[in-house]
Amino acid sequence: MSSINWHVKNLSEKLAFLLAIIPAILLGILILKYGVNVPYWDQWDLASMFKKIYAGNLTFQDLMAQHNESRFLFPRLLFIGLAYLTGWDVRYEMLVIFILACLVSFNLYRLSLVTVAGSPVKLMLLAGLSNMLIFSPIQYETLLWGMQVVVFAPIVCLTSCIVVAYSNLSLRIKILIGLVLSTVATFSFANGLLCWVLAFPVIALAKPKAWKELLKEKWLILTWGVGFIANGVIYFYNYSKPAHHPSLTEGLVQPVKALNYFVAYLGAPLAQNNLTVATIVGTVLMLTFMGVVLYLVRFSHQNNLIHRTIGWLTIAGYTLISAAITTSGRVGFGVEQSLSSRYATFQIYLTVALIYMTAIIIEDASVRKILASPSLTANRIISSLLTIVIFLHSITAAYGIDRMEESHVARYRGKACLLLINVVKDDNCIQVLFPDPDRLKVTAGILNSMGFLKPGLVKSNPIEKINIFQEKGKNYGWLDGIERVDNSGYKMSGWAVLRNKKKPADGVILTYENKRGEAIAFAVASPEMKRKDVAQSLNSNAYRNSGWEKFIPLAQIPQAAEKIKAWAFDADTGKAYQLNGSRSLAK
């Protein structure tokens, strides 16, 4: 009988471990599937640093330069190193983001081992619930934008400080590690300064008698204070508030709006981009946190309870203070802005902390006989919490995955236009990657000369200069027709796919035939229209958005243009595949 029990226990632990790591596995697959190797928005600013490195005149001031409210010293060093190791394949930055998320998950599990009582199965199930949030696809904007390594750095540093605080290392070593990690957090992202404020109380209270030991060695407190002040002085030296950001007093002028922003910010990771749901969830989370604090205050004389919860309170404080700071600086953009995906990496940790603190309080209340029927009541609370969080997470995660797919398609379209920027300029599709097409063209040229764009930019417009393919027996699409639109221009339409990748083409190159018989590129179109007939014909729903349509004004039609052809373009390889059908312009 004992052997059977052992096997059941062993199987339960393995299943619980599998449930705990599934969120990480799924997110890793999503990043691999939807990540696109093309710089995006603020990443293009790094080109100026690469140019200075190439010229040998990069300075420390360049590395410390202010970006919005932040100073990206350590992330910039990381970006430069990865760029030269990988030819600036930005997907490696996404891999770093994933690794940092795994490190946070590991830190929280380590923290649970020393603060939450119970079996390994229970701890793994709590980790699984926590990991659903840590690896949630609702962070789609952050996860698929390598530059957002910066937003993971502070929480990695803070949770590492907390784990160190609960360790058996000497107090001096804990302070030293805390100084280093807090400095890294500060010069990675703006709210990294919170690490100085939040990490020290954990170091002082996580272990019994730690505070008394600090009072005996006051120079450790002084060292921490000096480090904080020094970081602050360096950080704010020549600091200027970004001109395009709203006033910090906006929340004081409109307190109701600010309160709505604050609670919606807290609830956003479980709200599927719905402001009403976010407000309700955020309010519930805030009330739950207040209930937890009241319980802790009621039994504050029990030092063991304070030691067990101080780490989780710190993690919750990270989200709450971040919410207050973001509210003061962003409420002027509107309450809906609180739902931005890029904030999710700060928002989720209040919910994560509450999951663990609820487990700790249920244990404590059961021991104190506060719960009338400990097992039944505890099971009901846990079951209800699991059901609500899993349900909200599921619908929000589905929304996030949809946005990841949209981002994937849009960036490939933008990359197709980018690679053709020297021969065909289309401001609309290139603005997906950067809002200033003229500046982008210059920057792309710099990166291309350094070998940091893969594949490289197309340099001339004869289609023969591109890697063209006309494979027999493979249908890559059709140029269905050309229609004259009054005296204003022509509307060209068709469909295009990449059969080897089982997806719509990243772009469609339109060419005309010159007097020498060369096909000259003069326009680019983006497949984005639904074509159910194509999906049915090719027996795959992956081709449903393969239709394209392009209106070209008469002024942009070359005078020599008569015979028009179209080509499916693969932005990963720089290859073009001729579509079936060619049309003559009716002039």
Side-chain angles (χ1 to χ4, degrees), residues 102-336:
C102 290
L103 183 54
V104 172
S105 173
F106 176 75
N107 283 342
L108 296 186
Y109 177 69
R110 292 279 300 173
L111 179 59
S112 72
L113 289 175
V114 295
T115 59
V116 183
S119 67
V121 172
K122 175 185 175 181
L123 294 179
M124 279 297 172
L125 290 177
L126 287 173
L129 193 58
S130 171
N131 285 344
M132 285 195 314
L133 296 166
I134 295 171
F135 298 99
S136 174
I138 195 58
Q139 304 168 93
Y140 59 90
E141 191 172 1
T142 296
L143 298 168
L144 298 180
W145 188 4
M147 187 174 181
Q148 293 298 87
V149 163
V150 300
V151 303
F152 276 87
I155 188 62
V156 169
C157 291
L158 180 60
T159 55
S160 297
C161 281
I162 294 172
V163 170
V164 167
Y166 277 91
S167 72
N168 292 322
L169 294 171
S170 70
L171 196 56
R172 295 182 182 185
I173 297 298
K174 291 179 183 180
I175 291 292
L176 176 61
I177 294 174
L179 289 170
V180 173
L181 290 173
S182 296
T183 300
V184 171
T186 298
F187 295 103
S188 293
F189 197 68
N191 73 340
L193 281 164
L194 292 179
C195 203
W196 291 99
V197 177
L198 296 171
F200 188 79
V202 184
I203 294 173
L205 298 174
K207 285 284 190 176
K209 300 181 180 180
W211 177 243
K212 292 181 179 179
E213 187 177 343
L214 274 173
L215 290 177
K216 291 180 180 178
E217 299 191 61
K218 292 185 175 62
W219 66 272
L220 291 176
I221 301 175
L222 180 61
T223 300
W224 189 273
V226 170
F228 183 21
I229 293 171
N231 271 250
V233 169
I234 296 171
Y235 185 90
F236 288 107
Y237 180 74
N238 282 338
Y239 178 90
S240 59
K241 179 183 176 297
H244 61 284
H245 288 180
S247 170
L248 295 175
T249 61
E250 185 74 21
L252 298 176
V253 176
Q254 302 185 64
V256 175
K257 184 178 177 182
L259 179 61
N260 192 359
Y261 188 105
F262 180 83
V263 294
Y265 179 97
L266 298 177
L270 294 171
Q272 196 186 1
N273 206 42
N274 184 298
L275 183 60
T276 302
V277 175
T279 302
I280 294 171
V281 173
T283 301
V284 171
L285 290 173
M286 195 63 210
L287 291 173
T288 304
F289 178 75
M290 292 169 65
V292 167
V293 171
L294 287 174
Y295 184 92
L296 296 177
V297 170
R298 170 67 178 80
F299 298 103
S300 59
H301 58 285
Q302 299 291 333
N303 289 333
N304 184 53
L305 189 59
I306 297 300
H307 296 321
R308 293 174 66 193
T309 56
I310 186 63
W312 302 111
L313 283 170
T314 299
I315 292 169
Y318 174 77
T319 293
L320 291 171
I321 299 174
S322 295
I325 293 172
T326 307
T327 299
S328 66
R330 297 291 191 272
V331 69
F333 287 135
V335 176
E336 291 78 9

Side-chain angles (χ1 to χ4, degrees), residues 23-37 89-102 134-146 148-149 152 345 400-401 404-405 407-408 411-412:
I25 294 172
L26 292 178
L27 185 64
I29 293 171
L30 289 173
I31 292 174
L32 289 174
K33 181 177 180 179
Y34 294 122
V36 181
N37 181 25
D89 186 335
V90 297
R91 290 172 297 184
Y92 284 92
E93 295 172 10
M94 300 175 202
L95 175 61
V96 173
I97 287 174
F98 178 73
I99 292 172
L100 292 179
C102 290
I134 295 171
F135 298 99
S136 174
I138 195 58
Q139 304 168 93
Y140 59 90
E141 191 172 1
T142 296
L143 298 168
L144 298 180
W145 188 4
Q148 293 298 87
V149 163
F152 276 87
T345 308
I401 293 171
M404 291 178 89
E405 183 177 7
S407 171
H408 175 82
R411 291 190 196 181
Y412 264 119

Side-chain angles (χ1 to χ4, degrees), residues 7 41 45-46 73 88 126 145 173 350 359 365 413 490 582:
H7 284 296
W41 277 67
D45 291 335
L46 290 173
L73 172 61
W88 203 25
L126 287 173
W145 188 4
I173 297 298
L350 173 61
R413 290 177 190 153
Y490 292 89
S582 60

Side-chain angles (χ1 to χ4, degrees), residues 37-72:
N37 181 25
V38 63
Y40 179 70
W41 277 67
D42 294 12
Q43 283 179 308
W44 289 100
D45 291 335
L46 290 173
S48 61
M49 281 203 311
F50 296 141
K51 183 179 179 181
K52 289 184 177 182
I53 293 173
Y54 189 73
N57 56 12
L58 182 73
T59 66
F60 183 73
Q61 285 71 24
D62 294 320
L63 296 173
M64 282 289 288
Q66 182 182 341
H67 182 92
N68 289 332
E69 297 100 336
S70 303
R71 296 190 185 274
F72 296 158

